Amino acid sequence: MAFKSKIKWVALFVLTLSLGSLTVHLSLTKFSSMNLVQYSAKEALSHDFPYIGSPVGRNKRLWGAVRSLESLQPYANPRNGYPVPGKTSNGFIYAKIFGGFEKIRSSICDLVTISRLLNATLVIPEIQESTRSKGISYKFKSFSYLYDEEQFIASLKNDVNIIKSLPEYFKSARRRSEFPTFKPKSSASPNYYVKEILPSLKKAKVVGLIIMDGGCLQPILPPILSEFQRLRCRVAFHALQFRPEIQILGLRMVERLRAWGQPFLAYHPGLVRDTLAYHGCAELFQDVHTELIQYRREQMIKQGIVNDELSVESHIRRENGSCPLMPEEVGLLLRAMGYPSNTIIYVAGSQTFGGQRLLIPLRAMFANVVDRTSLCSKTELSDLVGPETPPSPDVFKMPNPKSEEQLKEEWNRAGPRPRPLPPPPDRPVYQHEKEGWYAWITENDKEPNPSPMDLRMQAHRLLWDALDYIVSVEADAFFPCFHSDGSRWPDFSGLVIGQRLYERASSRTYRPDRKKIAELFNVIRDDMYHPKRNWILSAREHLNRSLSEEGLIRQSLLSKPTSFLSHPIPECSCRISSVEITKPIKGKDGRILFGGEPECPKWMQSARAEKARTNETEPAEDENDVAEKARTNETEPAEDENDVPEQLEPDVISSLTSLIDHDEEWDPND
């Protein structure tokens, strides 16, 4: 009995120790979990740049302006002999615009130009991606979902008469489809409108246009129609302002990026399914994404958009410059330029085909890669969208139970006995069990129609593209991956490049030649992360050339025939008089590729001279100046130990200087 009692006491003691150990572990878990914080890009930036609000001297080699282009200034004002539109017009033009952000923006500019050409009154265009049928907020109409209607009308009052809707006596006739409707191509000439549409406009007083190709007027017009090109610039760069909520949030994102006292670079991957399918770049991806691109390419061939074979060698297309630069290649090019690993990179674009996994190599090379979700809270983004009705839940519904009569009838029709047992009923496949939005390709041969939620997300992408557009235009440097792709559609990067060229021609806007870049990477394809010094110098030389006149000339040759807004010079610019006079460079067709801008008005030159004098009295500091001041201030005691010093610490200056002067091979493990 004594032995059994000892066993009981030992068991009770072990149980007590177990309970005590469990209590201690639970308490430690509770208190340690309080210190776990979800990753935030803002917190990561604060660790890399602890001196918030104290600007660091910029490396002019990486962030400085392109001096050879500083004389170019924006000047889209009308020249001599440009009358204001009269009260009477030839009729009304209403339009429906299909497509994404870049197609909408380009099409609106063409519509205003056509209205001026035909002396017509333009009705505010209808953006089909943001109609009420897509489930957008009741606060907005189709145009006002993205742009400011009042600003649009007021800014163009001296160019075109614009109204918000057709007069009442024309609305009922439009519902009965009594007015002629046209579907012009993006390459339609002015003669097409004068000969084909103008007679119908004068006769019916109302015509409708359906625009699906991202434009309805040829990009390059004869020199005699230069005023219409300048009108395009006034529409794109002055009249088309985003609605105030988008504008405020976009500028707030720029302020948050600049709050760390560091310049930032905007990067647009350009990985869109339609353009990838158009050029046959399916083999650059893996798994289901290749099948999705091939399916879209097959549809384009059936529609006559692509006149080529279905299966093509994607690697050959990439060597020809027809495929985009992958994020891994962009990271290596930026490292070759000398950008340090803590450079702030903003990823633009509402969608990246292939998912976030394609950005993993870029994020491994640069720690501070952010996007709109990193800079904006969910509340800010939802407020931008506005109040929307919740979508209907996709819940699996069990079939209705069969009645007793139906069961008896099925039993009688079952045939002779004995018979095999029926197969088990199919288990329902719920929404969370599907592979994703591409699950249809493993089940069907035909892509299903977009669901109501898909249509709503398409409308939301217009807002995300608008935010990215604001940040990309205001960025200290911009790096596109798929501009001037040779397709007939305008692209996001091309519009950003065009506006940056118009507003600040000297800003650092890279225009890489993808064919040349492919040749460079073919040399180091076996060891991409340890390139030789000669390769680094070659890549750096090519990117520096793309910033200057050489890049502008190539942009004019490749991009302007597709989209005028991607290269609005020399029509929408002027040149400050200087000692160096740029001779115009013409192409084979006689078109001016670079140079030939008129001299800026005197008021612009005087304003620039005043700004230059101000800059001379307050010169910009570079790294050496900041380092010298920091070394000078080392001997001076701080007034208060709690005050944040105005200059950087010496070790920070030395690290920055070493990054700037570092010209050797980069190690991916650094």
Side-chain angles (χ1 to χ4, degrees), residues 615-629:
N615 293 335
E616 288 178 1
T617 57
E618 299 179 1
E621 298 180 343
D622 58 6
E623 287 78 10
N624 297 328
D625 296 335
V626 177
E628 184 65 25
K629 283 189 176 182

Side-chain angles (χ1 to χ4, degrees), residues 332 335 524 527-532 536 665-669:
L332 294 172
R335 289 204 317 185
I524 61 167
D527 194 9
M528 295 177 62
Y529 285 90
H530 297 86
K532 302 295 183 182
I536 295 176
E665 299 179 7
W666 287 80
D667 191 344
N669 297 322

Side-chain angles (χ1 to χ4, degrees), residues 20-299:
S21 176
L22 182 61
T23 304
V24 171
H25 280 80
L26 290 176
S27 60
L28 290 175
T29 304
K30 178 180 179 181
F31 289 109
S32 62
S33 63
M34 295 175 62
N35 297 326
L36 295 177
V37 181
Q38 187 177 4
Y39 173 79
S40 173
K42 296 180 182 179
E43 296 295 333
L45 289 173
S46 64
H47 287 292
D48 285 340
F49 311 115
Y51 300 99
I52 300 176
S54 57
V56 179
R58 297 187 176 189
N59 182 358
K60 294 181 180 180
R61 185 172 62 83
L62 299 178
W63 305 103
V66 182
R67 292 189 176 182
S68 59
L69 302 179
E70 287 182 344
S71 60
L72 285 177
Q73 300 296 316
Y75 187 53
N77 295 347
R79 307 297 193 260
N80 298 327
Y82 189 82
V84 177
K87 296 182 179 180
T88 59
S89 65
N90 292 326
F92 301 90
I93 294 179
Y94 69 89
K96 293 182 178 181
I97 301 176
F98 293 83
F101 175 84
E102 54 278 353
K103 290 186 177 181
I104 292 171
R105 193 171 185 87
S106 181
S107 299
I108 293 174
C109 299
D110 289 354
L111 275 173
V112 175
T113 306
I114 292 166
S115 300
R116 172 79 186 190
L117 177 67
L118 302 181
N119 188 25
T121 300
L122 177 64
V123 182
I124 290 287
E126 300 173 7
I127 301 175
Q128 297 303 302
E129 289 290 323
S130 61
T131 55
R132 295 287 175 84
S133 61
K134 303 294 177 68
I136 67 170
S137 175
Y138 62 86
K139 293 173 57 177
F140 311 105
K141 296 181 180 178
S142 64
F143 188 88
S144 61
Y145 186 71
L146 192 58
Y147 295 110
D148 188 345
E149 285 188 356
E150 301 298 334
Q151 165 69 19
F152 182 70
I153 296 174
S155 180
L156 297 174
K157 64 180 180 180
N158 294 328
D159 298 292
V160 178
N161 294 322
I162 303 176
I163 58 177
K164 293 185 177 181
S165 61
L166 281 172
E168 292 295 333
Y169 51 87
F170 284 138
K171 287 183 178 180
S172 58
R174 181 188 172 183
R175 296 190 194 100
R176 297 190 297 268
S177 301
E178 295 182 359
F179 300 128
T181 304
F182 300 89
K183 294 182 180 180
K185 297 181 179 180
S186 59
S187 59
S189 64
N191 290 333
Y192 168 78
Y193 289 96
V194 173
K195 296 180 180 179
E196 299 292 336
I197 296 182
L198 183 58
S200 300
L201 177 65
K202 291 181 177 180
K203 182 179 179 180
K205 294 301 180 183
V206 179
V207 296
L209 299 180
I210 298 177
I211 306 174
M212 305 183 68
D213 293 337
C216 53
L217 183 64
Q218 64 185 31
I220 299 177
L221 298 178
I224 195 174
L225 300 178
S226 297
E227 287 296 342
F228 293 96
Q229 299 288 57
R230 284 187 279 273
L231 176 57
R232 277 174 163 170
C233 293
R234 291 195 295 274
V235 177
F237 308 135
H238 299 280
L240 273 182
Q241 300 292 330
F242 300 112
R243 58 182 167 95
E245 297 86 354
I246 300 176
Q247 200 77 19
I248 292 173
L249 183 57
L251 295 178
R252 190 180 302 164
M253 293 167 62
V254 175
E255 291 177 359
R256 290 170 181 172
L257 286 168
R258 297 195 188 282
W260 311 106
Q262 296 285 333
F264 70 96
L265 179 142
Y267 152 67
H268 185 253
L271 300 174
V272 183
R273 183 184 173 193
D274 285 348
T275 52
L276 293 170
Y278 182 87
H279 294 285
C281 303
E283 295 179 3
L284 301 182
F285 297 83
Q286 297 177 354
D287 305 329
V288 71
H289 295 93
T290 299
E291 299 182 32
L292 289 168
I293 294 175
Q294 287 297 88
Y295 177 86
R296 184 70 185 110
R297 182 174 175 83
E298 183 180 2
Q299 298 300 314

Side-chain angles (χ1 to χ4, degrees), residues 39 41-51 56-57 59 62-63 257 260-265 331 334-335 338-346 362-370 476 623 648 651-660 662 666-668 670:
Y39 173 79
K42 296 180 182 179
E43 296 295 333
L45 289 173
S46 64
H47 287 292
D48 285 340
F49 311 115
Y51 300 99
V56 179
N59 182 358
L62 299 178
W63 305 103
L257 286 168
W260 311 106
Q262 296 285 333
F264 70 96
L265 179 142
L334 293 179
R335 289 204 317 185
Y339 286 97
S341 59
N342 63 348
T343 302
I344 303 175
I345 299 179
Y346 181 86
L362 180 65
R363 294 181 184 275
M365 287 182 271
F366 294 92
N368 299 320
V369 177
V370 298
D476 299 281
E623 287 78 10
L648 296 178
D651 56 345
V652 178
I653 293 298
S654 61
S655 62
L656 285 174
T657 307
S658 63
L659 284 172
I660 292 166
H662 182 65
W666 287 80
D667 191 344
D670 289 345

Side-chain angles (χ1 to χ4, degrees), residues 278-505:
Y278 182 87
H279 294 285
C281 303
E283 295 179 3
L284 301 182
F285 297 83
Q286 297 177 354
D287 305 329
V288 71
H289 295 93
T290 299
E291 299 182 32
L292 289 168
I293 294 175
Q294 287 297 88
Y295 177 86
R296 184 70 185 110
R297 182 174 175 83
E298 183 180 2
Q299 298 300 314
M300 288 183 172
I301 293 175
K302 292 180 180 179
Q303 297 171 5
I305 300 175
V306 175
N307 299 320
D308 201 352
E309 297 179 357
L310 176 61
S311 299
V312 294
E313 291 289 340
S314 299
H315 299 284
I316 297 178
R317 295 297 178 95
R318 179 175 61 182
E319 293 179 358
N320 292 336
S322 299
C323 290
L325 299 176
M326 302 304 286
E328 180 182 19
E329 298 173 337
V330 174
L332 294 172
L333 290 173
L334 293 179
R335 289 204 317 185
M337 280 295 296
Y339 286 97
S341 59
N342 63 348
T343 302
I344 303 175
I345 299 179
Y346 181 86
V347 180
S350 60
Q351 58 178 339
T352 300
F353 188 81
Q356 291 294 317
R357 67 175 183 175
L358 292 179
L359 299 177
I360 292 177
L362 180 65
R363 294 181 184 275
M365 287 182 271
F366 294 92
N368 299 320
V369 177
V370 298
D371 56 10
R372 65 179 179 280
T373 60
S374 308
L375 301 175
C376 302
S377 63
K378 293 182 179 180
T379 304
E380 290 175 325
L381 296 178
S382 61
D383 291 343
L384 189 66
V385 170
E388 294 180 340
T389 56
S392 57
D394 188 6
V395 181
F396 177 80
K397 296 181 180 180
M398 294 295 293
N400 297 327
K402 297 180 180 180
S403 62
E404 187 175 356
E405 290 78 7
Q406 291 176 338
L407 292 175
K408 289 182 178 180
E409 184 179 356
E410 289 183 0
W411 178 268
N412 296 330
R413 290 189 288 104
R417 280 74 168 176
R419 63 186 185 280
L421 294 175
D426 293 336
R427 188 181 69 84
V429 180
Y430 297 97
Q431 186 69 26
H432 67 275
E433 295 179 316
K434 292 187 177 182
E435 297 181 43
W437 55 269
Y438 49 78
W440 63 269
I441 203 165
T442 61
E443 302 172 358
N444 305 315
D445 295 333
K446 184 178 180 182
E447 186 171 2
N449 295 326
S451 64
M453 194 60 191
D454 294 335
L455 297 177
R456 184 175 298 185
M457 293 303 297
Q458 291 177 7
H460 292 176
R461 290 192 190 103
L462 298 179
L463 304 179
W464 313 150
D465 281 332
L467 294 176
D468 294 343
Y469 188 84
I470 295 174
V471 177
S472 299
V473 170
E474 296 293 331
D476 299 281
F478 180 71
F479 196 101
C481 280
F482 208 27
H483 68 294
S484 306
D485 58 350
S487 65
R488 60 184 183 183
W489 308 306
D491 59 273
F492 182 90
S493 295
L495 295 181
V496 172
I497 291 174
Q499 182 148 354
R500 290 173 64 89
L501 178 61
Y502 172 77
E503 293 181 354
R504 302 184 309 277

